[in-house]
Amino acid sequence: MPDTATLPTIWLDSRELAQRFGRRHHNLLKSIDQLLAQCPAAADHVKYSTYPAIAGLGGTRHVRHALVDRIGFTLLAITLGTTQRDIVFDLLMAFEATANPN
């Protein structure tokens, strides 16, 4: 197994995670916020950003989303409940396949 310090950092977008888990995006963001409040050390594994979204009357608003790495996702998965283990397992295997292409 390669040294984790040399692995490329792969980030998952919270919008994609919300879609895969069948959750509303703002609820997933609340879960991430709660995770960071309970475990401040996880802050290195979550980055917040914004993306433009079309608002009413043709305007644009900037909506918050999060990017989580493999460790951040693993910590988040612990909080999501046991009914979605297959999705968590598939995403963790995708992380490993991307990090270890051999």
Side-chain angles (χ1 to χ4, degrees):
M1 181 175 206
D3 179 19
T4 56
T6 63
L7 291 176
T9 302
I10 301 164
W11 298 92
L12 282 176
D13 193 306
S14 59
R15 296 172 289 177
E16 179 185 348
L17 290 174
Q19 181 182 13
R20 287 193 183 217
F21 286 107
R23 298 183 70 175
R24 294 184 57 94
H25 184 239
H26 72 273
N27 289 336
L28 186 69
L29 287 176
K30 284 182 188 177
S31 295
I32 293 170
D33 292 340
Q34 290 172 350
L35 170 67
L36 293 176
Q38 294 172 358
C39 181
D44 292 340
H45 306 286
V46 177
K47 295 191 297 188
Y48 285 105
S49 186
T50 60
Y51 65 95
I54 297 173
L57 301 174
T60 301
R61 63 187 179 104
H62 294 276
V63 181
R64 181 174 76 121
H65 70 114
L67 300 170
V68 295
D69 68 3
R70 182 177 53 85
I71 294 172
F73 171 72
T74 303
L75 292 171
L76 180 63
I78 293 169
T79 69
L80 292 178
T82 59
T83 59
Q84 298 167 324
R85 284 186 182 149
D86 291 341
I87 298 168
V88 170
F89 181 76
D90 290 344
L91 286 171
L92 285 174
M93 290 299 101
F95 266 121
E96 290 302 316
T98 304
N100 301 312
N102 298 336

